[in-house]
């Protein structure tokens, strides 16, 4: 089959949904094709590790985003295998060829995997299908090992432990969250898991794993083993750049785009997890969080349909674990110098992250829900900051 579209979006995630809606803001009539390898049409990804586990009123029927309401043709379970920029065509593993006027690469990212292949009991958590598989396993008394102390690992460990599941959390940090949070906060964060009966294995990595029947055995790098009914991995992701590379586009930790989210090809754009863009405040980077997917996707759609406004938005990120929540902007790493400003130590306050020149590079607001715009304004300056400058600033 050969078909023609004004706009084609490769990838079926939240970027695609927002891009389709952005296109419609500029062009009510142009034809849109959204084609992705996910078996589900675009859905709200954050709910997979948050609300679906903790809010009884947030049911699975609230997860789809309704991309079809834009009039877009949404094709799921299909991989784009080729991009011919000269011919303005894409080809799929279903044997179809589609032509485009403007193309958006919203191919996202894929979970980092070990030698242990995914299965019904081995989940590299990323998709709605992964949620359904894990939910089917998460009965009371089931033992699930969660590997990874970052955003996904900590959220999933907390979610499972609040649903009657026996959880072991494996992290290479000496304290849960130790790579992101200063000592005072990391200790409190760690304690929240212990208080919810999560067994925490710190300072270790998984060397190998093996599934045998209804159990999975992990071998850790200290020589010990861990048996569980299932294992969930949250070890980060890698941007899906293969299609861009095949098409000869510039790739450097993602697909390189300009301030209009355009690649070197004027008719090909990239947005979301896969895009390496020049942030107006933070500098060139690639961001994997939902706020960026929403705002960048919408902007990309508008630009594809004729807008001349650049992408100048600086995204934030957030997480909810047990009774704690945070929002942050910039770089959050204990490789930087931290300045803490607590209203209640480890419970409510702000952490500032500074580089070797005392320039502010990141702001974390822990159980603080105001001041995000002010934090972004602070990050615009390259002036050195002292503790006295920062304490009480937000």
């Amino acid at each position: 089959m050969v078909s023609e579209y004004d706009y084609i979006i490769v990838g079926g995630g939240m970027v695609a949904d927002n891009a389709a809606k952005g296109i419609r803001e500029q062009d009510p009539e142009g034809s849109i094709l959204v084609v992705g390898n996910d078996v589900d049409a675009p859905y709200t990804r954050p709910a997979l590790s948050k609300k679906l586990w903790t809010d009884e009123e947030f049911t699975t029927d609230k997860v789809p985003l309704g991309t079809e309401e834009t009039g877009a043709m949404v094709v799921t379970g299909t991989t784009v295998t080729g991009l011919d920029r000269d011919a303005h065509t894409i080809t799929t593993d279903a044997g179809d060829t589609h032509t485009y006027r403007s193309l958006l690469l919203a191919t996202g990212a894929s979970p980092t995997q070990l030698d242990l292949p995914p299965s019904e009991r081995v989940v590299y958590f990323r998709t709605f299908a992964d949620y359904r598989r894990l939910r089917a396993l998460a009965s009371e008394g089931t033992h699930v090992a969660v590997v990874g102390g970052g955003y996904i690992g900590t959220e999933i460990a907390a979610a499972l432990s609040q649903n009657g599941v026996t959880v072991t959390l494996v992290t290479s940090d000496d304290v849960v969250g130790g790579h992101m949070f200063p000592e005072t906060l990391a200790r409190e964060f760690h304690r929240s898991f212990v208080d919810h009966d999560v067994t925490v294995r710190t300072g270790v990595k998984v060397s190998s794993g093996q599934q045998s029947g209804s159990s999975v055995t992990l071998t850790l790098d200290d020589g010990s083993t861990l048996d569980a009914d299932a294992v969930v991995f949250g070890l980060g992701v890698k941007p899906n750049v293969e299609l861009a590379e095949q098409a000869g586009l510039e790739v450097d930790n993602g697909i390189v785009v300009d301030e209009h989210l355009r690649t070197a090809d004027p008719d090909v754009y990239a947005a979301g997890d896969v895009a390496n863009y020049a942030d107006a405040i933070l500098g060139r980077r690639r961001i994997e969080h939902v706020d960026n997917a929403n705002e960048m996707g919408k902007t990309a759609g508008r630009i594809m349909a004729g807008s001349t406004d650049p992408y100048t938005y600086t995204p934030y990120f957030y997480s909810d674990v047990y009774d704690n929540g945070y929002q942050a902007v910039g770089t959050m790493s204990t490789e930087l110098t931290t300045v803490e400003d607590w209203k209640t130590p480890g419970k409510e306050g702000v952490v500032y992250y500074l580089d070797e020149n005392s320039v502010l590079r990141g702001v974390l607001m822990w159980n603080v829900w105001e001041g995000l715009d002010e934090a972004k304004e602070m990050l615009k300056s390259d002036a050195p900051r002292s503790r006295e400058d920062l304490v009480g600033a937000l």
Side-chain angles (χ1 to χ4, degrees):
M1 185 178 74
V2 178
S3 55
E4 298 181 0
Y5 291 90
D6 295 306
Y7 311 97
I8 293 181
I9 302 168
V10 180
M14 297 185 74
V15 173
D17 174 76
N18 280 283
K21 292 169 180 174
I23 289 169
R24 283 291 175 252
E25 291 181 13
Q26 300 287 128
D27 181 354
E29 303 296 335
S31 56
I32 305 171
L33 171 66
V34 176
V35 54
N37 57 13
D38 199 315
V39 297
D40 295 288
Y43 49 84
T44 176
R45 194 180 299 276
L48 305 182
S49 59
K50 297 182 178 74
K51 278 194 169 187
L52 282 171
W53 299 92
T54 59
D55 184 349
E56 292 182 356
E57 296 182 359
F58 194 93
T59 48
T60 53
D61 61 302
K62 297 180 180 180
V63 173
L65 291 170
T67 310
E68 298 88 348
E69 295 173 10
T70 65
M73 171 68 71
V74 179
V75 178
T76 61
T78 301
T79 300
V80 175
T81 55
L83 165 58
D84 186 331
R85 292 161 48 202
D86 293 331
H88 276 55
T89 62
I90 63 166
T91 54
T92 75
D93 60 355
D96 298 326
T97 299
H98 307 290
T99 66
Y100 63 85
R101 177 161 59 87
S102 294
L103 176 73
L104 175 63
L105 298 176
T107 46
S110 297
T112 300
Q113 295 190 15
L114 304 181
D115 290 337
L116 183 63
S119 69
E120 288 302 311
R121 293 181 178 273
V122 177
V123 181
Y124 292 90
F125 198 87
R126 181 72 175 172
T127 67
F128 195 9
D130 294 332
Y131 164 80
R132 293 191 293 266
R133 186 158 63 253
L134 183 58
R135 192 73 182 192
L137 292 167
S139 57
E140 187 169 349
T142 300
H143 179 204
V144 176
V146 179
V147 181
Y151 303 106
I152 291 298
T154 53
E155 288 181 358
I156 287 296
L160 289 170
S161 69
Q162 292 176 94
N163 283 268
V165 178
T166 300
V167 179
T168 299
L169 175 61
V170 180
T171 174
S172 58
D173 285 335
D174 292 331
V175 180
V176 179
H179 67 291
M180 296 187 296
F181 307 138
E183 184 179 357
T184 300
L185 179 54
R187 285 200 308 268
E188 290 294 330
F189 191 56
H190 184 111
R191 186 175 295 116
S192 68
F193 290 92
V194 175
D195 288 346
H196 285 84
D197 297 322
V198 174
T199 300
V200 183
R201 293 291 307 274
T202 59
V204 290
K205 297 180 179 180
V206 174
S207 297
S208 63
Q210 182 177 2
Q211 181 177 344
S212 178
S214 60
S215 67
V216 181
T217 299
L218 301 177
T219 300
L220 308 182
D221 61 2
D222 64 356
S224 64
T225 59
L226 173 61
D227 294 322
D229 299 307
V231 59
V232 181
F233 288 98
L235 298 174
V237 297
K238 296 179 180 178
N240 295 324
V241 298
E242 295 81 8
L243 186 63
E245 287 180 321
Q246 172 260 312
L249 297 170
E250 183 181 358
V251 170
D252 180 11
N253 183 32
I255 303 170
V256 177
V257 296
D258 64 13
E259 68 274 15
H260 289 93
L261 307 177
R262 186 181 287 115
T263 67
D265 185 321
D267 296 323
V268 179
Y269 302 78
D273 292 1
V274 77
N276 179 332
Y277 78 106
D279 188 274
I281 296 176
L282 305 174
R284 185 161 286 280
R285 62 192 52 222
R286 187 177 62 81
I287 293 180
E288 298 166 0
H289 297 284
V290 62
D291 188 41
N292 188 55
N294 290 337
E295 297 296 330
M296 189 182 278
K298 188 70 67 71
T299 300
R302 295 189 193 109
I303 293 172
M304 291 170 70
S307 171
T308 58
D309 294 333
Y311 184 62
T312 59
Y313 181 79
T314 293
Y316 77 100
F317 51 98
Y318 73 99
S319 185
D320 298 303
V321 175
Y322 299 121
D323 296 328
N324 293 306
Y326 67 80
Q327 55 183 353
V329 62
T331 301
M332 209 169 67
S333 169
T334 48
E335 292 183 1
L336 299 173
T337 299
T338 57
V339 172
E340 302 170 57
D341 184 10
W342 293 107
K343 181 176 180 180
T344 305
K347 301 292 185 183
E348 181 182 350
V350 180
V351 179
Y352 301 94
Y353 296 80
L354 303 108
D355 67 16
E356 66 275 11
N357 297 313
S358 297
V359 176
L360 186 64
R361 297 303 183 194
V363 181
L364 164 67
M365 286 162 279
W366 190 265
N367 293 319
V368 173
W369 305 110
E370 297 179 351
L372 191 60
D373 289 339
E374 292 84 348
K376 291 181 183 182
E377 284 297 317
M378 293 174 68
L379 285 163
K380 290 180 179 180
S381 173
D382 284 337
R385 308 290 183 107
S386 67
R387 178 177 179 80
E388 290 70 24
D389 295 329
L390 296 170
V391 172
L394 292 177

